[in-house]
Amino acid sequence: MISPDPVLAVKSADDLYAEVYDDYRRYVNPPLARVMKVSGSPVEVRAEGATIYDQKGKAYLDFAGGYGVFTLGHRHPKVVAAVKAQLDLMALSGKTMFNPVLGRASRKLAERAPGDLEISFFCNSGAEAVEGAIKLARAATKRHKVVATHNAFHGKTLGALSASGREYFRDQYRPLLAGIEHVPYGDSSVLKEALSDAAAFVVEPVQGEGGVIVPPLGYLRAVRDACDASGALFIADEVQTGLGRLGMWFGCDRDGVVPDVMTLAKGLSGGVMPVGAYIARAGCWNAAYAQAPLMHTSTFGGSEIACAAVIAALEVLEEEDLVRNARERGAQLLAGARALATEYPALIADARGLGLLVGVELTNEGYGGSIIPEMLKMGVTAAWTLNLQRVIRLEPPLIVTAEEVERALAALRAGLATAYAKLGSL
Ligand code: PLP
């Protein structure tokens, strides 16, 4: 049930829009406010399942999905109930006593994660998880060099940004973290040389923000072998790909490999609490921190409310068989996107993806400016990817139905028709 909105009870939809736009323009991000206004962004007021409602009560199928956050849709009742119940007991950790919910969430994650991944550190975002993983690798190996991939996206804090691969985001922050090198993504022939003396290789099983780039099958197996040969830790950044998004539990499952450290965030609480984590093999964790339990900490990390959400979210993924749904609906979505690529070869260069992470690569970045607003008019959200803006990403909740996938494809078709009609003037 959608609850009545207290703001809209006292304010008209137009007044609310004016207020929010003015707040953005003055206090949040002036240039972003202008871009969002031009693209016709409404005000998000409430959300449920795969749907967001705006200030006028119009419903939008959420195919941007918070860039992969809403694996369970918005406000999954079981997760919301778990968080509400936890709020009545204890919200944040006092830190000086054992936190039972953190213990349970860590155990649950270890039971679900591949192979012998066992010890978790909980934080509040994906970038923090990557920071923690890189620190762990340096501490465990007593080595310095960290190898990442061109076009990677690992977050925008300084360390995670140093591992990320798009110059636009990096340039003005130099000097970045020392000792980070980049190699081409998906190319296993460069790994042996690059990983000699490295503390870690950090890599996404599928590059999400890089434009939904799926590496060749066997790439992660080659990464595992190269890390074993060199002594570098294999850090799989599964912030976007993990927990069912790709139609399998983790992106590493595609090659049946177990990394030394895995980072998670986005869908970790099913879209209810901001939470990230890394999970490491006990041997790696002990090599880093057996004598230094407080070397890497976070005040808010591992809070009771976040961990309660994590436990409930992992249960829902299993109970509702959402990994299978992601696989089946993902196949439907990709087939539909590929059919549109055949229909509009002048506009679409490629449609690709795995599970419910689908990228539609346009032949020209400018077309997105017609397609995405038109989809919005049709009641479907979509977004481009951060490192490759000519790729429109379709990343709906894993609860999405076959009918909802068809509606999103119809909206994409309408967006393409609009862009096609403007072709001459674009
Ligand atoms: N790693 C990957 C693979 C991501 O896709 C992202 C965000 O898109 C991050 C890390 C950073 O996560 P956050 O924005 O929560 O810091």
Side-chain angles (χ1 to χ4, degrees), residues 67 148-156 160-170 182 185 204 206-213 237 240 352 361 365 383-393:
Y67 307 157
T149 59
H150 294 311
N151 196 36
F153 189 85
H154 298 294
K156 288 181 179 166
L161 181 67
S162 306
S164 293
R166 184 176 176 204
E167 279 315 303
Y168 173 77
F169 291 127
R170 292 158 47 92
H182 288 83
Y185 182 68
E204 298 155 271
V206 169
Q207 283 189 334
E209 300 304 326
V212 189
I213 311 293
D237 183 351
Q240 187 147 186
R352 54 178 176 260
E361 180 165 350
E365 186 178 318
W384 41 74
T385 55
L386 276 173
N387 284 357
L388 196 63
Q389 298 206 320
R390 60 174 187 277
V391 173
I392 296 179
R393 91 176 72 208

